[in-house]
Amino acid sequence: MKDVFTKLKHGIFLGIGFSFGLLVSYTFAVTVSTLNTFTSGNTVSSSQINTNFSNLKTAIESVPDWIISGNDTYYSKGNVMVGRTDTPSSSPKLAVNGNISSSILGTYCGKSATTYKGGEVGGYTGAKSICETTCGDTNAHMCVGYEIIMSLQQGINVDSSVWVSEFHRNDKTETPPIHDCRGWTLSVSNEGGFVHTAPPGYTATEYETCDNSYSIACCL
């Protein structure tokens, strides 16, 4: 009778132990499945990764004063500064310390390896395509005079003997007339364009007839 009681007692304890083990395992599984911070050795499921990315996205979108609307982002208060911690006295809406990569505004990034007569450029779009290859960026384009000056202000040396777009000179007495070789479509001696002629470190431009060959000044 004693042996029977002893076996029964052992069975009860084993049952309790087994049940406790199941409970611990279940609790552990639940804890892992709700983790938001992962450490070495954790097994992470795709749903956990998706949940964490979703939480991150929500956190970013909830930053005060930033408004997400479709694919657009708006900052509704104050000014935005990039690469600087001071407060500009003029309080511009956007202040950037450094270069801005833009398809319409930039600084000198090099000259084309090939020289071109005015009509060999292929128009303004042809000049842009040449500069995209020259500088390896789709925002690259043919420099205008303003960008040459801005480049020099930032200590960027500009090569000499390069075509620069200036559109036209408002001087009807100028011979030949200067208007970017008719938008870089003509290679004739009675039309002109501007060429940056200064050694590195300062700027000077002079007109040249479109039958001359020069590299193209590219900005990014």
Side-chain angles (χ1 to χ4, degrees):
M1 185 69 175
K2 182 178 179 181
D3 291 338
V4 173
F5 179 74
T6 300
K7 291 180 179 178
L8 180 61
K9 182 173 66 174
H10 286 170
I12 293 173
F13 281 128
L14 285 173
I16 294 174
F18 180 72
S19 299
F20 180 73
L22 289 176
L23 179 62
V24 170
S25 298
Y26 175 77
T27 302
F28 180 73
V30 170
T31 302
V32 170
S33 68
T34 58
L35 277 177
N36 287 319
T37 301
F38 305 114
T39 59
S40 177
N42 286 143
T43 299
V44 184
S45 68
S46 59
S47 61
Q48 289 171 307
I49 294 175
N50 291 336
T51 298
N52 277 269
F53 274 117
S54 176
N55 292 340
L56 177 61
K57 179 176 180 293
T58 300
I60 292 173
E61 292 179 349
S62 64
V63 173
D65 303 325
W66 284 93
I67 300 171
I68 308 296
S69 177
N71 294 325
D72 299 323
T73 304
Y74 304 92
Y75 183 65
S76 59
K77 295 183 179 179
N79 306 320
V80 177
M81 291 183 288
V82 180
R84 58 190 297 174
T85 57
D86 62 312
T87 302
S89 58
S90 60
S91 297
K93 291 299 182 183
L94 175 64
V96 180
N97 180 20
N99 295 345
I100 299 175
S101 176
S102 168
S103 61
I104 58 175
L105 177 66
T107 52
Y108 185 72
C109 60
K111 66 177 182 178
S112 64
T114 303
T115 60
Y116 302 88
K117 294 181 180 180
E120 296 172 343
V121 174
Y124 291 110
T125 57
K128 176 170 172 55
S129 179
I130 291 168
C131 286
E132 288 177 358
T133 300
T134 298
C135 298
D137 194 294
T138 56
N139 277 339
H141 53 274
M142 191 175 190
C143 296
V144 298
Y146 171 79
E147 292 175 312
I148 297 296
I149 296 173
M150 291 302 298
S151 298
L152 295 173
Q153 287 184 355
Q154 295 188 42
I156 301 172
N157 286 329
V158 180
D159 294 297
S160 62
S161 300
V162 287
W163 287 119
V164 176
S165 281
E166 288 283 10
F167 189 47
H168 69 84
R169 195 170 180 177
N170 190 21
D171 184 351
K172 296 181 180 179
T173 64
E174 191 69 62
T175 303
I178 302 169
H179 38 46
D180 292 350
C181 299
R182 294 274 183 99
W184 307 110
T185 61
L186 293 179
S187 300
V188 294
S189 60
N190 61 344
E191 299 279 355
F194 278 102
V195 174
H196 178 73
T197 58
Y202 62 95
T203 186
T205 56
E206 62 184 37
Y207 72 86
E208 294 287 348
T209 56
C210 301
D211 56 341
N212 287 296
S213 292
Y214 295 100
S215 294
I216 295 174
C218 298
C219 285
L220 170 62

